Amino acid sequence: MRIGMIGLGRMGGNIVRRLLRDGHEAVVFDRDPAAVKALADEGATPADSLDDLVRKLDAPRTAWVMLPAGPITEETVGKLGGLMQADDCIIDGGNSFYQDDVRRARDLDAKGIHYVDVGTSGGVWGLERGYCMMIGGHKEAVDRLDPIFRTLAPGLGDIPRTVGRDGRDPRAELGYIHAGPSGAGHFVKMIHNGIEYGLMQAYAEGFDILKHANSEQVPEERRFDLNLGDIAEVWRRGSVVSSWLLDLTATALAGSEMLEEYSGYVEDSGEGRWTINAAVEEAVPATVLSSALYRRFRSREEASYADKLLSAMRQGFGGHKEPPRRGPTP
């Protein structure tokens, strides 16, 4: 298939590369000409504007927007809606707020343009590992785009198959699902990221306790000088708490157990807040996820070891760089 990609950053560029490797064609645009040239050198068709990108696509056209959630995505989707025609499709693969998806889909549907929201997980590792995708939109549009999603998904890999799934949608085993109508994809991804906050916080606090097992607050006969890197590594091997986040933790600790290169400033990108808002709206208790979100707020003051480990994990899976640390609000 031929698809347009707008936004060639950490994930957008690698999504294009994975598609090209599997024989798809891509027309690419980014505000940074160097990013466009880099992918053009790898076989993509360059575009110097949104208008140029749309002209270089074949009807029915598909344009994937991979930009930070917020005004830039809103502006880009709006411009594409004015350039594209009935039966064309706009995909938003960023971390947009699901209620914005519902509104955009309604507005574009009036023009006959499909809108598909794709919650995308995989970070900087997606090129090789594939991307886990949670998709919202009309069945017609999602089915038509299946070759794209199938290429991007991780596939069965070496994960043992779940007993009892016979007769169910096989796409889930391959790493992508059609979650429901427009907005459902980003809603599921929002909750995914809220859970991620909680998992990361649990690891961070646990390793913080291990680190302080040799502190002066502990009676001398009960102090332990523990090797945190070895603990992370052994837990990866058959432990019930093993996970990709633990893999990233082990890698960070193998490089520097004291995590000196991390400030401990942990940003929240919005999904945690939206998850808590959804929990409040649904009257669902979410004590762990709420606590994890508030801990990120706390990290912007004096950093603890747990904060530094959170930073290390975020950089590991998503390439997130720490912003300059700000002092506490007066």
Side-chain angles (χ1 to χ4, degrees), residues 162-173:
T162 301
V163 176
R165 281 197 56 86
D166 295 345
R168 305 188 68 171
D169 189 339
R171 292 175 293 184
E173 287 188 314

Side-chain angles (χ1 to χ4, degrees), residues 207-226 228 305:
F207 277 92
D208 207 5
I209 296 169
L210 292 170
K211 177 181 178 292
H212 285 88
N214 197 35
S215 66
E216 293 181 357
Q217 289 88 345
V218 179
E220 189 170 356
E221 67 273 15
R222 297 204 303 272
R223 292 179 192 171
F224 305 110
D225 186 10
L226 301 170
L228 304 190
Y305 187 81

Side-chain angles (χ1 to χ4, degrees), residues 37 48 59 66 88-89 108 152 207 211 225 268 284 326:
K37 183 181 185 305
D48 57 19
M66 201 66 183
D88 289 348
C89 181
L108 291 168
L152 294 176
F207 277 92
K211 177 181 178 292
D225 186 10
D268 72 286
V284 173
R326 297 189 294 268

Side-chain angles (χ1 to χ4, degrees), residues 99 150 163 182 311 318:
Q99 293 181 19
R150 189 170 291 260
V163 176
S182 296
S311 291

Side-chain angles (χ1 to χ4, degrees), residues 18 129-133 148-155 174-176:
R18 190 169 173 93
R129 293 171 59 109
Y131 299 91
C132 172
M133 291 168 290
I148 295 292
F149 300 137
R150 189 170 291 260
T151 287
L152 294 176
L174 300 178
Y176 66 109

Side-chain angles (χ1 to χ4, degrees), residues 34-52:
V36 175
K37 183 181 185 305
L39 281 165
D41 291 345
E42 297 179 42
T45 300
D48 57 19
S49 67
L50 290 181
D51 300 64
D52 189 33

